[in-house]
Amino acid sequence: MGAQSAGPLVVGVDSSTQSTKALVVDAATGAVVARGQAPHTVSGGDGKESDPAQWWRALGEALARCGDAARQVSAVSVGGQQHGLVTLDAAGAPVRPALLWNDVRPAPQSERLIAELGGARAWAERVGSVPGPAFTVAKWAWLREHEPAAAAATAAVRLPHDYLTQRLTGESVTDRGDASGTGWWASSTGTYDREILEHVGLSPEALPRVALPGEAAGTVHAGDLPLPHGALVAAGTGDNMAAALGLGLRPGQPVLSLGTSGTVYAVSTRRPADPTGTVAGFADARGDWLPLACTLNCTLAVDRVAALMGRDREAVEAGGEVVMLPYLDGERTPNLPGASGLVHGLRHHTTGGQLLQAAYDGAVFTLLQALDRVLDADAAPDAPLLLIGGGAKGGAWRETVRRLSGRPVVVPDAQELVAFGAAAQAAGLLLEEDPAAVARRWGTARGAEYEALPRDGAAWDRLAATLADGAALLRR
């Protein structure tokens, strides 16, 4: 395997909501030498929970499927789903299943915390974000209220990627990117906020050390994985920060990610603080910022609409004036955790294909509405949108984005961008380079280019009016 490689090998891991992916990458060229994947399960019903132990098993399975290449790597990094609440007992075992980012049960706790500590503007200025139901601080408050015995048994709190990094290294380490999605790490100071922690009854000693950008978390000490003992382990980061690294983003380049959730983000050199709560003012995995807006309802919601009508997901039709807001799981952007899907403008002549197109329009509209808040005021209004995630492969998604944004679109050839970003972080650590520069050398953002289309202002206006007029129904 080494003879086929120009440089040392690194492994990047993407521990997402539904699976773990591992890429073994040549650190010099970015060539993928081996890849492996293993699934996770998420609980059904109101809660969205997963047993952290299955993430560890899936990591082992994904690495095993990489074959001998995994045993030759020099550095490792884990990118993981953000916000999840992992509670560990004194022995380091999970107290209960992790509460995942898309569990909206903590909505009441989120609202109460915002009110109790000065309101939305104060949170945005202090923490960088207004802590919605996804944020770890709201999940911890929910756990204390609904499962006090579990909260009392908790000796350590981790994010999903921290949990895996700790099992790899034996060290309690996180990074500023993922920490910035907790609600108790303050972007204004770059430290944990002791007043917030005291307010929610959590000791700072229960939290991991926040590594500096470029700092190692430790070395591989776990003996039950097919990795070399002593290989360097980077601090890892959240999945969105890892994807930004994987694209080698420069400030002002907008990204629209179409996955289970939809996200829009861009790197910024200015610390964000949006008092409306639309934009989460995350830190990135380097030394800059990653303002980001996230929607709960993206590819899964549109696929569900297609399945309800018995149509292929690409079987859309133009025309008509039907509007759909596909908020099948509540919604985060706009903050409507109790919302359900809303259809307006149905007529006898409405076709199934037009209704499916309306679902695409509703999902893309929600993301593009947030894009103006994500980008700095001096960002180029005609900069190409980098379209990533599973939905980026779909023609209906791509054409909807082009029609509603009026921007050119680039669909990068590289697929597993979270794993690529983690690999770039590992390579940057190993080679003592900027990981975003490593990714740019690898050419991960190159791909098919599509020219801008005239923006469909009529469809946009119908969506905006339906969202405004349906407010009472959506908040019920």
Side-chain angles (χ1 to χ4, degrees):
M1 189 64 68
Q4 301 170 9
S5 305
L9 299 181
V10 295
V11 63
V13 175
D14 172 10
S15 179
S16 69
T17 315
Q18 296 174 315
S19 69
T20 292
K21 298 171 188 168
L23 291 185
V24 180
V25 178
D26 182 325
T29 66
V32 177
V33 174
R35 50 169 46 88
Q37 185 169 351
H40 311 155
T41 57
V42 178
S43 67
D46 292 340
K48 298 288 186 285
E49 302 182 355
S50 287
D51 176 7
Q54 71 171 329
W55 303 335
W56 181 251
R57 289 194 298 272
L59 175 59
E61 290 171 24
L63 289 168
R65 287 175 183 152
C66 293
D68 289 341
R71 296 180 175 84
Q72 298 180 33
V73 302
S74 300
V76 184
S77 175
V78 178
Q81 54 180 313
Q82 287 185 248
H83 303 306
L85 175 70
V86 181
T87 50
L88 305 178
D89 64 19
V95 171
R96 69 178 311 287
L99 274 68
L100 304 187
W101 63 275
N102 54 348
D103 191 327
V104 295
R105 288 177 295 176
Q109 289 73 27
S110 159
E111 291 178 6
R112 193 166 68 238
L113 285 171
I114 293 165
E116 287 171 349
L117 290 176
R121 182 172 293 278
W123 275 92
E125 290 173 357
R126 182 175 186 166
V127 172
S129 303
V130 182
F135 277 63
T136 324
V137 68
K139 298 192 184 310
W140 172 252
W142 181 92
L143 189 71
R144 288 185 76 212
E145 189 171 324
H146 290 272
E147 299 181 19
T154 298
V157 169
R158 301 289 180 265
L159 295 162
H161 109 258
D162 308 341
Y163 169 78
L164 292 170
T165 301
Q166 183 166 333
R167 290 200 63 172
L168 275 169
T169 63
E171 302 291 336
S172 169
V173 180
T174 191
D175 89 300
R176 68 192 286 273
D178 216 1
S180 67
T182 58
W184 51 56
W185 184 87
S187 68
S188 57
T189 62
T191 60
Y192 291 128
D193 190 305
R194 288 181 175 266
E195 184 188 353
I196 292 172
L197 289 171
E198 186 175 338
H199 187 78
V200 297
L202 187 60
S203 166
E205 284 67 46
L207 299 175
R209 176 178 74 85
V210 182
L212 296 171
E215 187 181 353
T219 59
V220 173
H221 89 150
D224 54 344
L225 292 181
L227 289 172
H229 192 84
L232 275 175
V233 180
T237 193
D239 51 5
N240 291 298
M241 296 80 195
L245 273 188
L247 288 164
L249 284 190
R250 297 183 190 274
Q253 287 182 283
V255 177
L256 200 155
S257 176
L258 303 167
T260 305
S261 63
T263 52
V264 284
Y265 55 85
V267 170
S268 175
T269 56
R270 297 197 275 274
R271 185 178 78 89
D274 176 16
T276 72
T278 301
V279 176
F282 294 141
D284 75 353
R286 294 169 63 254
D288 289 326
W289 304 96
L290 195 73
L292 177 147
C294 175
T295 63
L296 294 183
N297 295 281
C298 196
T299 59
L300 281 185
V302 172
D303 284 354
R304 181 64 186 140
V305 173
L308 281 170
M309 295 191 294
R311 298 182 77 87
D312 182 271
R313 65 171 67 121
E314 293 288 323
V316 295
E317 296 172 23
E321 296 188 346
V322 66
V323 174
M324 184 185 300
L325 298 173
Y327 301 158
L328 307 191
D329 273 321
E331 190 42 82
R332 170 170 163 177
T333 306
N335 185 24
L336 298 165
S340 56
L342 184 66
V343 178
H344 176 68
L346 274 178
R347 300 289 186 190
H348 282 289
H349 57 260
T350 304
T351 69
Q354 289 169 346
L355 191 59
L356 180 56
Q357 180 62 64
Y360 278 99
D361 283 8
V364 169
F365 164 79
T366 305
L367 285 166
L368 292 177
Q369 256 206 330
L371 181 63
D372 289 339
R373 290 185 178 274
V374 163
L375 288 170
D376 290 335
D378 55 1
D382 57 351
L385 267 175
L386 288 173
L387 202 61
I388 65 170
K393 302 172 193 171
W397 280 110
R398 184 185 67 241
E399 295 311 303
T400 304
V401 171
R402 292 176 74 199
R403 185 171 53 81
L404 289 180
S405 72
R407 287 177 181 259
V409 165
V410 176
V411 182
D413 293 330
Q415 296 295 322
E416 297 112 330
L417 286 165
V418 174
F420 258 119
Q425 190 187 50
L429 177 67
L430 185 66
L431 304 174
E432 298 184 343
E433 288 186 54
D434 172 3
V438 169
R440 288 195 289 271
R441 189 173 71 236
W442 292 350
T444 49
R446 288 196 295 263
E449 299 179 13
Y450 301 88
E451 293 180 355
L453 292 176
R455 189 165 166 271
D456 188 345
W460 184 278
D461 291 345
R462 285 195 299 271
L463 282 153
T466 303
L467 178 60
D469 295 345
L473 285 171
L474 292 167
R475 294 186 186 282
R476 186 170 295 170

